[in-house]
Amino acid sequence: MAIRPFRRLWGVTYLCSVGDWLSLLALTGLVTKLAEGYRWEGFALSAVVITQLLPGMLFAPLGGVLADRFDRRKVMVACDLARGGLFLSIAFVGTAWWLFIANFLIGCCAMLWIPAKDSAVPNLLRRPDQVETANQLGLVMTYGITTISGFGLYALISGIPGYFHLQGGDLSFRIATIAVVVNGLLYVSSAVLVATRIPELSGRMATPRKRDEDAPGFLVMMRDGLAYAWRRPLLRGLVIGMTGAFAAAGAVIGSAKLYALSLLGGESAYGLLFIAVFAGLATGMITAPKLARRLTHGRLFGVTIVCAGLSLGVVSLAPHLWFALVAVALVGGCAGIAFLTGLTIIGSKVEDEVRGRMVALVQSLMKVILGLSTVASPLLVTTLQPRVITVLDHPLKIDGTRPVLFGAGVLAAAVGLIAYRLMDDRRETPILSDLLAALRGRPRRERGLLITVEGDASLDTSVQARELAEVLRSAGHEVLLASDPDLDEHRVHELLNTADLAGVRAHALVAAAVRADVVERRIRPALEDGLIVVVDRFADSPIAHFSASGSVDTSELERLSDWATGRLRPDLTVLLDRTPTTLPASALGAPPGAVPAGLEGARRTITNAEHHWQVQRLLTGMAAADPDRYLVVDADGTPDEVAARVKDAVARLVGGEIRAAAPLAEAP
C-alpha cells in the first residue's frame, strides 16, 4: 500500500466493485418494477445474473487480446466510460428490454476491463514477490470490503426519506432508479481517476512496439496465447488444474440446496454451508502467502487442489451437519489458496506481452465451466434416485447429491494430481517433507537463517551487524558475518583492474557482480550448512543510495539486485531508523562507506544532507511495503543503546527461529 500507483488502482477497484455489487441489487429491483406486466418478477435476479455472466463466455478472450495489444489504461478508461453511460441510459430509457440489453453490454465491458487491470498490476509493483500480496489485497477488496459497501450503499439509498411521494409515483421504483444513476457515476469517476491519476498503467506502452500494420491480428494473438500456455508445463498445469477446480465448484453450487435438505437442516443448513465455504475461502486467501514462503507456488497450487478434491469427497460422506460444515470450510480454504496462488503465478511468471491473454483465459474458464457445471449438476442429481443402503445393520438414505459431490471430488483430486506433476519444480525433494516443513512453519530453505542489517550510514550498520553476530555466537550459534559488497572497494577495483569508475550505473553493475560472487561463494553455502548469516547492507541500502542519486530508477536497481542474488530474500531485515541530522559531520561529508562510490556527480546537484534524507525515505518506504520482513529499530542514541534495542527486538520476533538454528556444538 506504500506504492502510490497500486494504492490508487486499489481505490479504483473499490469504486468499480461497489458498482458491481450495487448493480446486482439495483437492476434486480428495477427490472421487477419494469417487467411486472410480463410476469418476470420471479426471474428478475436470475435474468440479471445471466445477462452479466454470458459475456464472459464470449468476450473474455477478446479482452485478453486488447490488454496485450493496446494501452491498458486507455482500455480501462473506455470501458468505464461505456459502463457509466450504459447505467445512466437504463435510468433514462426506463424499459425492461433495454435494461437487459444494456446489462449484457455492461458485462461485455467488464470482460474487457478485468484483463487490462489484472495484467497491469505486476507492472506497478517494486518486486515480483509482491504480486501475491497485491492479489490478496485485490480479492479482499472485491469480495470483502466492497460487498459490504455495495449492499450498505443500497440500504442507505433505500432509506432515503419519502419526500418523493410529494411528486407521486412509486417510491421503490424511484429508489431503484437513483441506485442505477449512482452506479453510473461510480464508473465515470473510476474512468476519470484512471485517466488522470494512474499514468503508470501505460508504462508498458513506453517500450518499442510494432506498428499497427505489422502487429498480428486478434485471432492470431488469441491462438498464440493458447499455444504459449500449452507449451509451458507450469501454465498447462495451471489451466488443467483450474478447469477441474471450477467444474467441482459448479457441482457444489448446483447441488448445495438439495445437499442441505439431505442433512435435514432446511434453509438454515443451506445458509450455514455458504457461511462455512466463504469463511474457508477468506482463511485460505489469508494464509496462502505464508504457505508460499515454505512451498513453491507450483507445488502449492497442485497440492491444494488435490486436498480440495479429497475434502469434497469427505463432504459427500458427511453423516450430519456439523461434520459437513467442517469439511466444506476445508474445501473453501483449499480453493482460496489455489485461486490466489494461480493468480500469483500468472502475475509473476508470465511475460507482460501475453499476461492479459492468460488472465482472460482464466476468466473464460471460470465463467464457462462454472456455468455449465452449475447447470449440469442438478440435472445429474435428479436422474439419480434416492437409495437406501445398509451400513452396519443401520439403514442410510443416500440421495443424488452424494454421488455427484463424490464424483466432483474425485475429478478435482485427479486433475490436481495432474497439475501437480506438471508444475512440480522441486522433484528432487519429496513432497511429504516439504508439506511437513510447511505445517511446522519452517521456510522453504531447509536450513540456515539470513538476517540483514540495513540503514543509511555504514558506520551504523557495520557496528550493529557485528554486535548482533557476537550476541548470536555467545548464544551458541554458528554465525557468518558478511559485509556490504558495495563497500568492498578492494574487490571492486580488483574486479575491474582499475580504480576509476564513472557514473552510478557502472558502480551499480560492479556492485551487483561482487554481490553475486559473495552470495554464491559465502552466503548460500553457509545457509545450506545451517548457519545464521548476518549481512551488513545486503541489498536495500545500496539500492536506496544509488536511487537517491536520481539518475537510475529504483525498479531497475531492484531487478539488477534480484538477478545478482538469485532472488535470495532475507528472513529478517533490521532497518536502523536514524535521523540524518544526527549523523556525525564525517558521514555527512560523505567519507568512504557513508555513500556508495559513483555518487560524486549527484553531489554536485544535491547536498549531502538532502541525499541522506532521501535515502532514509526510500528505506522506510521499502519497510512499509513489506512489513512482515522488516524490523524497524530506532537508531538514535549511542551504539550500545541501539545494540540493546536490536538484540531485544530480534530475540522477541525471531527468537524461536534462532534457537532452532544449528548450535555451535552441532554445526558441521
Side-chain angles (χ1 to χ4, degrees):
M1 296 301 293
I3 302 173
R4 183 180 297 174
F6 174 79
R7 186 170 66 247
R8 289 175 175 172
L9 182 62
W10 203 60
V12 166
T13 304
Y14 175 81
L15 292 178
C16 293
S17 297
V18 168
D20 291 340
W21 293 113
L22 180 61
S23 69
L24 184 66
L25 299 179
L27 294 182
T28 301
L30 192 59
V31 74
T32 300
K33 296 300 178 182
L34 293 175
E36 280 180 341
Y38 300 98
R39 299 184 178 276
W40 285 353
E41 294 92 334
F43 300 95
L45 178 60
S46 299
V48 170
V49 172
I50 289 173
T51 51
Q52 281 201 343
L53 288 181
L54 186 60
M57 305 179 185
L58 304 175
F59 288 94
L62 177 61
V65 174
L66 288 176
D68 288 337
R69 183 167 182 177
F70 299 108
D71 187 326
R72 290 166 182 161
R73 182 167 65 107
K74 293 179 181 178
V75 172
M76 292 173 63
V77 170
C79 291
D80 278 338
L81 289 175
R83 287 194 284 185
L86 287 167
F87 271 112
L88 294 176
S89 72
I90 291 174
F92 292 128
V93 174
T95 61
W97 64 268
W98 176 246
L99 184 149
F100 290 118
I101 293 175
N103 194 39
F104 174 81
L105 296 175
I106 289 168
C108 295
C109 293
M111 288 300 99
L112 304 180
W113 188 88
I114 292 173
K117 182 269 240 185
D118 287 348
S119 57
V121 167
N123 297 336
L124 306 181
L125 307 176
R126 292 194 177 111
R127 302 186 309 272
D129 62 332
Q130 293 177 324
V131 170
E132 189 163 36
T133 305
N135 288 331
Q136 188 182 33
L137 288 170
L139 292 173
V140 167
M141 175 63 79
T142 303
Y143 297 104
I145 298 173
T146 56
T147 305
I148 299 171
S149 300
F151 292 164
L153 181 59
Y154 186 77
L156 182 64
I157 294 173
S158 300
I160 293 175
Y163 76 90
F164 294 103
H165 281 305
L166 298 176
Q167 302 177 8
D170 189 342
L171 176 62
S172 61
F173 174 77
R174 291 180 180 274
I175 287 176
T177 304
I178 292 173
V180 171
V181 172
V182 170
N183 214 45
L185 295 177
L186 286 173
Y187 286 112
V188 172
S189 301
S190 171
V192 173
L193 287 174
V194 171
T196 61
R197 304 297 291 170
I198 321 180
E200 294 84 357
L201 290 171
S202 300
R204 179 201 57 155
M205 299 304 295
T207 59
R209 301 294 303 272
K210 292 182 179 180
R211 299 191 308 271
D212 289 340
E213 58 268 21
D214 297 332
F218 283 94
L219 293 179
V220 174
M221 290 185 69
M222 198 178 302
R223 182 199 64 197
D224 291 345
L226 293 174
Y228 175 88
W230 193 252
R231 285 195 304 266
R232 287 157 176 78
L234 180 69
L235 298 182
R236 188 162 72 246
L238 178 68
V239 171
I240 293 174
M242 285 199 165
T243 300
F246 290 142
V252 172
I253 295 171
S255 58
K257 188 81 171 179
L258 296 175
Y259 176 74
L261 295 176
S262 74
L263 294 171
L264 305 179
E267 293 295 330
S268 60
Y270 183 61
L272 288 174
L273 288 171
F274 265 92
I275 292 174
V277 73
F278 276 98
L281 279 169
T283 304
M285 291 177 184
I286 291 172
T287 58
K290 294 182 179 179
L291 290 175
R293 296 173 189 167
R294 302 157 192 160
L295 282 175
T296 63
H297 285 111
R299 283 193 156 191
L300 183 60
F301 179 81
V303 166
T304 49
I305 289 184
V306 172
C307 290
L310 296 177
S311 302
L312 190 55
V314 174
V315 170
S316 68
L317 303 174
H320 52 78
L321 176 60
W322 293 110
F323 192 89
L325 289 175
V326 174
V328 165
L330 188 57
V331 172
C334 294
I337 295 172
F339 188 63
L340 182 60
T341 303
L343 293 179
T344 302
I345 290 173
I346 293 175
S348 59
K349 304 294 184 183
V350 176
E351 286 84 353
D352 186 64
E353 290 75 13
V354 294
R355 191 183 300 136
R357 279 166 281 179
M358 294 302 102
V359 173
L361 180 59
V362 171
Q363 291 289 329
S364 299
L365 288 173
M366 182 171 65
K367 298 290 172 58
V368 175
I369 297 175
L370 197 62
L372 293 176
S373 180
T374 302
V375 173
S377 57
L379 296 177
L380 289 174
V381 170
T382 56
T383 59
L384 298 173
Q385 297 299 321
R387 301 176 184 274
V388 178
I389 63 174
T390 302
V391 179
L392 299 176
D393 296 328
H394 179 75
L396 182 64
K397 185 178 181 180
I398 303 296
D399 67 349
T401 60
R402 305 298 182 125
V404 168
L405 290 176
F406 186 81
V410 171
L411 173 65
V415 169
L417 186 60
I418 295 173
Y420 169 79
R421 297 295 299 172
L422 288 170
M423 303 171 72
D424 185 14
D425 53 357
R426 297 190 69 200
R427 298 192 178 185
E428 71 283 354
T429 304
I431 180 60
L432 185 58
S433 63
D434 249 10
L435 282 175
L436 292 176
L439 294 175
R440 287 197 296 265
R442 290 212 305 260
R444 280 200 300 266
R445 188 174 58 245
E446 295 182 3
R447 310 185 69 184
L449 190 69
L450 178 59
I451 302 176
T452 63
V453 181
E454 306 285 357
D456 175 20
S458 63
L459 57 87
D460 288 335
T461 58
S462 60
V463 170
Q464 297 307 323
R466 186 171 61 252
E467 289 291 331
L468 180 58
E470 289 300 325
V471 168
L472 295 174
R473 289 193 185 104
S474 65
H477 302 291
E478 178 106 1
V479 180
L480 169 68
L481 176 62
S483 62
D484 175 16
D486 288 350
L487 305 178
D488 193 344
E489 297 293 334
H490 174 72
R491 296 197 65 192
V492 170
H493 297 159
E494 183 183 63
L495 182 65
L496 286 185
N497 196 24
T498 177
D500 185 18
L501 287 174
V504 174
R505 291 182 181 274
H507 277 267
L509 287 169
V510 173
V514 175
R515 182 176 291 106
D517 185 62
V518 170
V519 167
E520 293 300 324
R521 288 178 180 270
R522 303 186 65 197
I523 296 178
R524 285 194 185 277
L527 292 173
E528 292 299 324
D529 288 340
L531 277 65
I532 298 177
V533 179
V534 179
V535 182
D536 169 22
R537 302 161 69 89
F538 178 62
D540 296 345
S541 300
I543 288 174
H545 275 290
F546 284 127
S547 299
S549 70
S551 60
V552 183
D553 186 71
T554 303
S555 60
E556 294 181 6
L557 293 167
E558 288 174 340
R559 286 194 293 269
L560 177 63
S561 178
D562 280 345
W563 180 80
T565 62
R567 296 181 55 80
L568 179 64
R569 297 285 185 223
D571 296 289
L572 175 67
T573 295
V574 178
L575 176 58
L576 302 178
D577 187 15
R578 178 168 181 169
T579 306
T581 54
T582 65
L583 287 171
S586 58
L588 288 175
V595 181
L599 296 181
E600 288 75 13
R603 296 192 188 101
R604 288 195 292 267
T605 58
I606 59 175
T607 67
N608 289 320
E610 290 173 340
H611 172 81
H612 285 281
W613 277 111
Q614 178 66 8
V615 169
Q616 198 67 16
R617 281 193 292 268
L618 289 169
L619 288 172
T620 53
M622 294 177 187
D626 193 3
D628 289 339
R629 180 169 67 87
Y630 281 84
L631 175 64
V632 181
V633 177
D634 181 9
D636 290 331
T638 66
D640 289 340
E641 291 172 345
V642 177
R645 295 172 197 153
V646 171
K647 175 185 174 182
D648 293 342
V650 170
R652 183 174 65 252
L653 291 184
V654 299
E657 291 186 12
I658 290 176
R659 286 192 294 271
L664 182 60
E666 300 177 7

